[in-house]
Amino acid sequence: MSNYAPESSRRRLLQLFAGAPMLPLAGLTGVSAFLSGCGGSSDNDLPPVTTPVTPTATFTTAEFTGMAAPLASAPAALATTTVGSKLKVNFSDGSSNSYNLAYQPFFLTGDRVPDGKGGSVIAGAYFDIKNQPIIDSSVPGKERQFFSDSPDGSSMLTVANASVTGVKGKPVFAVVQFEYNSFNQAGASTYGTLPSPIAVLTLDQDQTTGKLSLVKYHNVDTSSVKGLWITCGASLSPWNTHLSSEEYEPDAFDQGLGGQSLAVLKEFSKNVFGNTATANAYDYGHLPEVSVNPDGTGSIKKHYCLGRYSRELVQVMPDQRTILGGDDYTNGGLFMFVADKVADLAAGGTLYVAKYTTQLTETTTGKLQWVKLGHATHAEIKALVDGGIKATDIMDSTLADPSDASYTKIVLNKKTAWVRVKAGQEKAAAFLETHRYAALKGGSMAFTKNEGTTVNAKDKIAYSAYANIQDSMVEGGAGYVAGNNVKFKKLVAGGVVSHKLAGGQKDDTGAAIDSEWVPSESTLLIAGEDIAADGLGNTANPAKIASPDNLKFSEKLRTLFIGEDSGNHLNNFLWAYNVDTKKLERLLSCPAGAESTGLHAVDEINGWTYVMSNFQHPGDEWNRFPGLPSALKDQINILINTNYNSKASGAVGYLTAELAQVKLSK
């Protein structure tokens, strides 16, 4: 790794990369712009480089050069993480520096990692409400603690006055959540039946290279929030906390209108509480928030007032009040919450759902109006849940036409239902039965798998990923409703939609929306391409995105990072899309069948730039690739089993610049 000669030179280098004065970023620190990505199993220790620094030129732009997709002739590459991309940094004097990118892991789930107390713990391990290990006893004689194969949302941050034993440089923290466990050792599905773990990693940041090393893994105690439910994507709040998610909320009516069944909730309850009856559907589907302490531990709370829907993640806008949320669902919506107070979600706010007043298609811009669903505080909604409110106390919901004009016909999860709100229960309906109430109120509940959400603050544009454009988004598709004004041509490969943000908007009641960061119109930004299955079984063009899921935007790099969750690409990719040049470049390839997750772009921590990402469930769902030759599939399968603990392990790691080829002198 690189070494700076004098410390003063390093400070001059940070200033050299300071960039636009409007951005509070130190930006790329030249020698080692660290970027984290999907996991693997190699380690790259590189020779030191000492170079002089010229403080006259300033950073202007950065651009990525992509890598080729792995080929059938290289099964070993198909069965692990591969990186062949580059980063070029340009300066105001016309010069540039180029960086080859390589992979550096933190751990595989199931590994024993340091607990910071001289011992070790299992990465991604599951615990019950009493913080006792949950044991997989499905195979007699092979009992072991359950651990996740699906690391997902991540945040990287620093904390004032941090002090953790074992850190030699500066402490940096990463919060990592684990979405689910796919199977027990006997091969039976365990999806959604275990309480999602969430951990704080203490990372030792080398101040001469920026390299990150894991020194402590702390499992956050979630008993105070009754455990976590299928934590998917995440984001870092502007006030330096990790905003988690609870996806596919349990359907309290158990009518199959999306989310999970009460049968899954009962299994979850058994694993968390020791019985099938304790868990309450209305305690799940909310927004968990993790705060990191200076000693590398963490605490958690849940916010009940942001709506209960299949939240992939939320993006807080620069005003620290406006929050945009995706809805990983069929017949899902686009939701917005405007908090009453800056950096305080519990104090309450107003929940809205988007309604398109003009048609959104692959070629047209859809104009938006926001439908007000209600206003509440966390305490108000939590009191309803703690008081024992039931679904039938809130509203009537039936799958059979009641032939009663007091009911409203809605479509959710490709099914038709009829609903009406009980007298005086509008607030409960808005915040606990958000999907049903949003459809009843006329929101455009049209989307399929509305996944990651992020913001380009400089241009006032938000981005949403739609993993699959099908069913409710396609005329004639299952769940399609013409009045939603969302009508695309079917595209299983999906796409990314941009939303123009503006102030001065009014909701459906005519009341002013108190925010300058409200989506006013939507346009398709970038899309994949469906193809006939190729020699690897890809049903989407490997030169384009397929099923975009994770999204994060780097202000400094002017780059939208896109991670895939695709059964359309045998290997999911991590992409970089420059919003100025419109160039799309492949940065990294995950193991076959694995999903690229945990994406987080960090423009500056202690003068270093990072982009984090994880991967989950390698070798998953071979049936999604019928075009993959069986002999090649068998080769890949054996290699993945060898690399990733018989498919039981996902990875948390990061991309790093290879320093040996970097030259900073001008």
Side-chain angles (χ1 to χ4, degrees):
M1 294 295 179
S2 172
N3 294 302
Y4 296 118
E7 175 64 18
S8 59
S9 293
R10 193 183 78 85
R11 288 195 295 268
R12 289 198 301 273
L13 180 60
L14 302 190
Q15 295 171 355
L16 179 146
F17 283 94
M22 294 300 291
L23 299 176
L25 312 166
L28 296 168
T29 57
V31 173
S32 155
F34 277 88
L35 304 164
S36 84
C38 291
S41 58
S42 63
D43 190 351
N44 296 284
D45 291 320
L46 300 164
V49 175
T50 302
T51 52
V53 176
T54 303
T56 54
T58 57
F59 167 76
T60 55
T61 60
E63 55 191 285
F64 290 95
T65 300
M67 59 176 281
L71 301 175
S73 59
L78 296 169
T80 189
T81 296
T82 59
V83 181
S85 49
K86 297 181 179 182
L87 172 65
K88 182 181 179 183
V89 178
N90 301 310
F91 300 89
S92 59
D93 64 359
S95 63
S96 63
N97 288 327
S98 292
Y99 306 76
N100 292 333
L101 302 180
Y103 176 70
Q104 180 73 48
F106 289 134
F107 55 78
L108 298 182
T109 57
D111 286 351
R112 297 206 72 91
V113 291
D115 64 1
K117 303 174 184 178
S120 64
V121 292
I122 297 172
Y126 288 89
F127 297 88
D128 65 16
I129 199 68
K130 296 179 181 179
N131 287 307
Q132 295 303 302
I134 302 176
I135 304 301
D136 179 358
S137 55
S138 62
V139 178
K142 293 186 177 181
E143 291 80 4
R144 72 183 186 194
Q145 186 175 6
F146 271 111
F147 58 86
S148 175
D149 61 336
S150 299
D152 206 304
S154 301
S155 297
M156 187 183 290
L157 54 98
T158 57
V159 175
N161 302 315
S163 178
V164 181
T165 301
V167 174
K168 298 177 182 178
K170 289 187 177 181
V172 171
F173 302 105
V175 183
V176 180
Q177 58 197 44
F178 301 88
E179 186 177 4
Y180 56 85
N181 172 270
S182 295
F183 301 99
N184 63 22
Q185 292 183 87
S189 174
T190 52
Y191 181 84
T193 65
L194 295 163
S196 294
I198 193 163
V200 177
L201 314 183
T202 299
L203 306 172
D204 186 356
Q205 185 189 52
D206 188 309
Q207 293 306 291
T208 59
T209 66
K211 182 179 179 180
L212 301 171
S213 302
L214 178 66
V215 298
K216 179 179 179 179
Y217 180 105
H218 169 76
N219 190 71
V220 177
D221 179 0
T222 64
S223 59
S224 64
V225 295
K226 303 179 182 179
L228 297 178
W229 177 272
I230 312 180
T231 55
C232 193
S235 61
L236 182 68
S237 74
W239 50 91
N240 211 37
T241 59
H242 175 89
L243 299 179
S244 182
S245 58
E246 293 188 306
E247 193 176 53
Y248 304 127
E249 78 289 356
D251 181 0
F253 282 96
D254 210 18
Q255 294 177 328
L257 294 186
Q260 294 294 308
S261 70
L262 294 187
V264 174
L265 180 65
K266 288 179 180 179
E267 286 299 308
F268 174 91
S269 183
K270 183 178 179 180
N271 284 317
V272 178
F273 299 102
N275 65 75
T276 60
T278 298
N280 179 353
Y282 287 139
D283 278 315
Y284 306 99
H286 301 290
L287 179 70
E289 181 176 18
V290 174
S291 298
V292 177
N293 302 318
D295 64 352
T297 61
S299 60
I300 192 167
K301 54 189 174 183
K302 260 187 209 181
H303 299 292
Y304 281 58
C305 60
L306 280 85
R308 186 174 164 273
Y309 55 92
S310 190
R311 184 179 287 104
E312 173 81 11
L313 58 80
V314 298
Q315 174 63 54
V316 182
M317 299 300 166
D319 65 352
Q320 302 193 40
R321 294 177 54 249
T322 307
I323 301 172
L324 196 62
D327 187 16
D328 190 351
Y329 198 74
T330 297
N331 293 108
L334 181 64
F335 292 94
M336 180 177 67
F337 180 80
V338 180
D340 293 339
K341 296 182 179 179
V342 169
D344 186 347
L345 303 181
T350 305
L351 180 65
Y352 303 88
V353 65
K355 178 180 179 62
Y356 284 91
T357 58
T358 65
Q359 200 166 82
L360 173 63
T361 73
E362 61 275 354
T363 58
T364 63
T365 296
K367 302 291 185 180
L368 280 167
Q369 182 184 59
W370 289 89
V371 177
K372 181 179 178 180
L373 299 181
H375 179 281
T377 66
H378 162 77
E380 286 179 305
I381 305 305
K382 184 71 162 54
L384 293 176
V385 177
D386 291 347
I389 195 168
K390 296 179 174 59
T392 51
D393 297 331
I394 298 172
M395 65 196 324
D396 296 311
S397 178
T398 176
L399 302 182
D401 187 349
S403 300
D404 183 336
S406 65
Y407 283 80
T408 299
K409 180 180 178 180
I410 65 172
V411 178
L412 293 174
N413 197 33
K414 302 183 283 189
K415 293 183 178 182
T416 301
W418 287 262
V419 297
R420 66 179 177 186
V421 179
K422 298 289 183 69
Q425 294 299 320
E426 289 79 9
K427 182 171 292 191
F431 292 92
L432 294 176
E433 286 295 335
T434 306
H435 278 129
R436 285 176 171 84
Y437 193 63
L440 181 154
K441 293 286 285 183
S444 290
M445 303 297 284
F447 295 112
T448 55
K449 294 191 71 62
N450 179 355
E451 307 259 10
T453 304
T454 190
V455 64
N456 168 353
K458 178 182 177 182
D459 297 333
K460 294 195 76 169
I461 294 173
Y463 305 101
S464 295
Y466 295 90
N468 306 116
I469 296 175
Q470 59 187 14
D471 296 327
S472 57
M473 296 180 72
V474 178
E475 187 173 21
Y480 177 78
V481 177
N484 284 331
N485 269 333
V486 175
K487 186 174 76 172
F488 285 79
K489 294 178 181 177
K490 184 177 180 179
L491 183 61
V492 179
V496 176
V497 169
S498 63
H499 310 289
K500 182 179 179 181
L501 306 174
Q505 297 189 61
K506 296 181 179 180
D507 66 23
D508 63 315
T509 71
I513 300 175
D514 184 19
S515 171
E516 297 296 313
W517 296 88
V518 180
S520 61
E521 61 183 39
S522 305
T523 306
L524 182 66
L525 175 72
I526 184 174
E529 178 187 357
D530 294 342
I531 61 171
D534 64 14
L536 283 176
N538 293 315
T539 55
N541 186 343
K544 298 182 179 182
I545 61 171
S547 295
D549 184 324
N550 277 215
L551 293 182
K552 283 295 185 295
F553 186 75
S554 168
E555 296 284 347
K556 189 68 179 181
L557 302 181
R558 297 288 294 163
T559 295
L560 178 66
F561 294 97
I562 304 168
E564 297 181 339
D565 175 12
S566 172
N568 312 308
H569 284 166
L570 176 65
N571 294 86
N572 280 314
F573 305 127
L574 176 64
W575 300 89
Y577 177 76
N578 188 294
V579 296
D580 298 320
T581 66
K582 314 302 182 187
K583 290 182 179 180
L584 178 71
E585 301 289 350
R586 183 189 297 105
L587 300 185
L588 175 149
S589 175
C590 294
E595 176 186 345
S596 175
T597 62
L599 187 60
H600 180 211
V602 183
D603 278 321
E604 190 273 329
I605 284 186
N606 297 327
W608 303 89
T609 297
Y610 299 84
V611 176
M612 296 188 67
S613 184
N614 310 322
F615 80 70
Q616 59 180 228
H617 56 67
D620 189 40
E621 298 184 341
W622 291 118
N623 61 297
R624 299 173 81 177
F625 306 99
L628 179 65
S630 59
L632 179 58
K633 184 196 82 171
D634 291 343
Q635 282 184 285
I636 298 170
N637 201 47
I638 291 170
L639 289 165
I640 285 178
N641 285 338
T642 300
N643 293 339
Y644 304 112
N645 195 15
S646 297
K647 304 185 185 72
S649 297
V652 176
Y654 65 101
L655 283 170
T656 178
E658 290 184 351
L659 308 183
Q661 300 180 41
V662 173
K663 184 179 180 183
L664 298 178
S665 57
K666 300 295 180 285

